[in-house]
Amino acid sequence: MGIFGFKPSFVVGVDAIRQAHRSRLAALAGRRLTGFALVRFAEDGDWFAECPVVLDFAGIQMEVCHWKLDELSIGWDTIDTAATITGWEWFELTPQWSHSDERLEPFVGQELREVTLLEWRPAERDLAAGTVAVEFVFASGCLRIVNGLDENRIEVGAAYPDYVRHRLGR
């Protein structure tokens, strides 16, 4: 993707994600969200949802990226959002880091209460069954980065009831 420092490590399933990241995710509780970065196209401002969502919790940078139908990579302090995204000369649009997003901005400055993993388990057969979202619980509400079927999707507010909540604890 031409993102300096991005070395995704994709895992599948809530158990694998919990095993790989439980302690670091749980340790974010009590920290403030101090910033974020998304990749947008310079020409039209559209979000390129296939690139990682970068969240900064008072100096701990978390990088979330969904891929394919069920893979999730969570990285820590690897991406340099000040670096230019390269290798896109062939494409008609220019990707660049943005620190603007109406869904994320209301949470900046707020203290994180809890991080949970949400596993999509609908009653009916569903292609997305088993995908895992990362939910961030703040005093003013919840923010989730979910699998949008081969890309990231950002949701705010209450989670759909078809999610099974997996609390991480400390």
Side-chain angles (χ1 to χ4, degrees):
M1 292 186 178
I3 297 173
F4 186 78
F6 183 48
K7 295 179 180 78
S9 177
F10 291 101
V11 293
V12 176
V14 71
D15 291 335
I17 296 164
R18 192 178 2 204
Q19 182 177 359
H21 300 286
R22 168 187 251 157
S23 62
R24 290 188 86 173
L25 289 170
L28 292 174
R31 298 183 77 86
R32 292 196 182 279
L33 179 65
T34 53
F36 63 87
L38 303 171
V39 174
R40 294 188 179 278
F41 293 114
E43 291 78 5
D44 59 14
D46 284 349
W47 175 36
F48 187 50
E50 292 178 19
C51 291
V53 175
V54 178
L55 303 172
D56 190 298
F57 291 96
I60 296 177
Q61 182 173 284
M62 178 186 180
E63 304 137 3
V64 180
C65 192
H66 288 91
W67 191 51
K68 296 187 179 177
L69 296 180
D70 58 358
E71 296 184 18
L72 172 62
S73 175
I74 297 175
W76 301 94
D77 299 310
T78 63
I79 295 174
D80 181 358
T81 61
T84 301
I85 298 171
T86 60
W88 285 70
E89 295 75 18
W90 58 272
F91 197 64
E92 63 270 7
L93 299 174
T94 308
Q96 63 184 16
W97 287 107
S98 171
H99 303 283
S100 175
D101 187 87
E102 64 188 21
R103 297 159 297 186
L104 297 172
E105 288 166 358
F107 297 101
V108 174
Q110 290 192 34
E111 183 178 304
L112 182 65
R113 289 185 169 178
E114 180 182 21
V115 179
T116 57
L117 299 176
L118 302 178
E119 183 181 18
W120 183 251
R121 288 287 173 206
E124 303 286 322
R125 182 181 161 100
D126 187 327
L127 182 63
T131 61
V132 178
V134 183
E135 181 178 58
F136 304 90
V137 181
F138 297 91
S140 68
C142 296
L143 162 69
R144 283 174 307 290
I145 303 172
V146 307
N147 188 318
L149 301 180
D150 198 29
E151 64 184 19
N152 299 296
R153 193 171 72 226
I154 297 172
E155 297 177 348
V156 295
Y160 291 104
D162 289 335
Y163 276 116
V164 174
R165 185 173 306 282
H166 298 271
R167 286 188 158 54
L168 299 171
R170 285 199 185 241

